[in-house]
Amino acid sequence: MNALRRTAAPLLLGLVVLTGPVACSTGPAPDPGPAPRRPASASAPAPSRGPAADPTDTGWLQLMIPMDEGAAALLDLAARKTTDPALRSFAARLRTAHEDELTALRGLRQRMGLPDTDVHQGHEMPGMVTATDLERARAAEGEAFDRLLVTEIRDHLRQSAQVSRSEATAGRAAEAKERATALAAAHEDRLSELEGLPGVHG
């Protein structure tokens, strides 16, 4: 993993928001003139929607889903490649937890009306297990795989917890903030568990 991806990301969520798709203009909008009148019968209450898609909430959600998906793909490899029984057990439990987490995050994404596209595809960001990382993991064997797994999952848990704490502080949608708070706590607990495994050194 290169030095950039090892760097802590206290402002990562803000960066995602700032670099995400935004509307822009180069000057004052033209006067559209008076609004057209509608017959009274045309008026109807707007359909109920899920949580509003605030840019901070959107940025966190669109980052966390691919982060968890990449980690889950790596954890799938651990089931048959790791040589350490304790690490294999940890990876299996974390894989199950991530599947539940992804189900909740995807449901929230749908309720917020966000597309299911991966806006970070091909990006190398702190805590993201990339396609290149997965290629290296498939090629690694024995203790080399175990070391790669520990390094990548440690970084994933640390960075995802940090980004989720930022969302819990700066987000606006109550459901997203609650989910981020729970995710941060769960990933911090899993990180502590990982660091406590025999043979794993921080």
Side-chain angles (χ1 to χ4, degrees):
M1 181 185 300
N2 60 41
L4 176 60
R5 292 185 55 216
R6 284 182 178 273
T7 303
L11 300 179
L12 179 59
L13 183 57
L15 177 62
V16 170
V17 172
L18 291 174
T19 57
V22 294
C24 60
S25 64
T26 56
D31 183 359
R37 298 178 59 84
R38 291 185 180 182
S41 59
S43 300
S48 60
R49 296 177 60 86
D54 176 79
T56 300
D57 304 317
T58 298
W60 170 74
L61 194 55
Q62 290 182 329
L63 178 61
M64 276 309 312
I65 290 175
M67 284 179 76
D68 270 10
E69 288 174 339
L74 179 58
L75 292 166
D76 282 340
L77 294 176
R80 59 183 177 82
K81 291 181 72 77
T82 183
T83 61
D84 184 330
L87 184 58
R88 183 184 300 113
S89 176
F90 169 82
R93 286 181 279 110
L94 184 59
R95 177 65 179 85
T96 299
H98 270 46
E99 189 59 43
D100 293 342
E101 200 168 88
L102 279 166
T103 298
L105 291 171
R106 289 165 181 156
L108 177 58
R109 178 178 63 187
Q110 183 176 21
R111 289 191 295 279
M112 292 177 72
L114 300 175
D116 61 1
T117 53
D118 181 0
V119 299
H120 296 291
Q121 187 172 9
H123 297 178
E124 290 201 7
M125 305 180 71
M128 186 83 74
V129 177
T130 66
T132 300
D133 296 327
L134 291 173
E135 288 177 6
R136 290 171 51 230
R138 292 186 187 102
E141 298 293 342
E143 292 183 359
F145 174 83
D146 291 353
R147 288 193 297 270
L148 186 152
L149 175 67
V150 169
T151 298
E152 294 292 340
I153 293 302
R154 175 189 287 133
D155 191 45
H156 163 70
L157 292 171
R158 181 182 295 129
Q159 298 295 346
S160 57
Q162 191 164 1
V163 169
S164 295
R165 286 195 301 271
S166 295
E167 158 63 16
T169 300
R172 298 188 63 182
E175 186 178 357
K177 289 165 66 71
E178 290 171 5
R179 176 60 53 188
T181 300
L183 190 151
H187 284 208
E188 287 168 348
D189 287 346
R190 295 297 187 182
L191 180 59
S192 296
E193 184 179 354
L194 174 64
E195 301 294 5
L197 294 178
V200 173
H201 302 285

